[in-house]
Amino acid sequence: MKFCITGLPRSRTAWFAAYFTATGHKCAHEPFAKCDSEHEVESAISGYEGISDSFMVFMPFKGKRVIIERDPDLVKKSLFDAFKTDIDVTDYMIDYAIENMRSTDGLKVRFEDIDDRLKEIHEYCVDTPYDEDIGNLFKGLNIQVNKVVITEEFKNMVGGVLCQHGQY
């Protein structure tokens, strides 16, 4: 895996997965939430160059990492607006994610600066030239998840990560 895009939920990770895939760099979106075991995750990301997943903020990663920084209150509002219900994203989970993002190396980009810094993000993650036509096309697209599918195994993984750090 060459690169990952991470940040708080609703930080355009689905958009980034679609963008990088369109540029010829297969990028998986949220594979952890859809799998029931680590083996399934490994299979799900096999053949991908990148991963775009908010959960990666909690995971070790050896490749290039882009960290999208977004206001936590806007994250909660976006979750509510998208799913018309309060998603259980507790303050301590958000605080812990923010703490991890601050202490993790990588290219840090404010959410509101993504479009202006897309060329920089692209060139940081992959070795191919930025295609302005594809970039401009994607800047006009609203790509987002409209249904959350979370397996029990994923809930257990999240709980395990939080327990390891005294957060749960």
Side-chain angles (χ1 to χ4, degrees):
M1 200 65 56
K2 291 181 181 178
F3 66 91
C4 83
I5 312 290
T6 192
L8 295 176
R10 310 299 295 166
S11 293
R12 289 175 71 176
T13 55
W15 185 91
F16 274 113
Y19 166 78
F20 276 107
T21 299
T23 65
H25 303 279
K26 283 179 66 177
C27 185
H29 181 248
E30 296 183 352
F32 294 101
K34 301 169 189 144
C35 297
D36 287 319
S37 69
E38 287 184 41
H39 176 70
E40 281 188 30
V41 171
E42 290 173 16
S43 293
I45 62 175
S46 176
Y48 284 81
E49 290 183 57
I51 185 169
S52 190
D53 192 328
S54 295
F55 190 66
M56 287 300 293
V57 75
F58 300 115
M59 305 297 287
F61 186 74
K62 294 180 182 172
K64 296 178 180 178
R65 185 186 301 251
V66 176
I67 301 162
I68 305 300
E69 300 172 323
R70 187 169 190 197
D71 181 288
D73 292 328
L74 294 177
V75 168
K76 292 176 192 174
K77 181 183 180 323
S78 181
L79 283 165
F80 181 81
D81 290 347
F83 303 109
K84 305 302 180 221
T85 185
D86 286 322
I87 302 291
D88 186 22
V89 179
T90 56
D91 288 335
Y92 65 81
M93 286 178 70
I94 288 178
D95 291 345
Y96 181 56
I98 291 170
E99 178 185 319
N100 277 3
M101 290 188 298
R102 286 186 180 139
S103 64
T104 300
D105 290 333
L107 178 64
K108 297 185 180 179
V109 178
R110 290 176 351 129
F111 178 81
E112 43 284 327
D113 296 337
I114 291 171
D115 286 351
D116 292 338
R117 294 184 64 190
L118 183 57
K119 180 179 181 188
E120 177 186 3
I121 295 165
H122 178 97
E123 291 173 348
Y124 175 81
C125 290
V126 296
D127 296 329
T128 58
Y130 174 74
D131 184 319
E132 192 170 346
D133 291 334
I134 293 175
N136 287 337
L137 171 70
F138 270 81
K139 288 176 186 179
L141 297 178
N142 180 359
I143 299 171
Q144 57 184 308
V145 170
N146 60 8
K147 181 179 179 186
V148 177
V149 177
I150 299 175
T151 66
E152 284 302 313
E153 179 64 25
F154 179 69
K155 289 179 188 176
N156 292 334
M157 282 188 349
V158 171
V161 166
L162 294 174
C163 284
Q164 287 175 352
H165 300 281
Q167 299 293 319
Y168 190 67

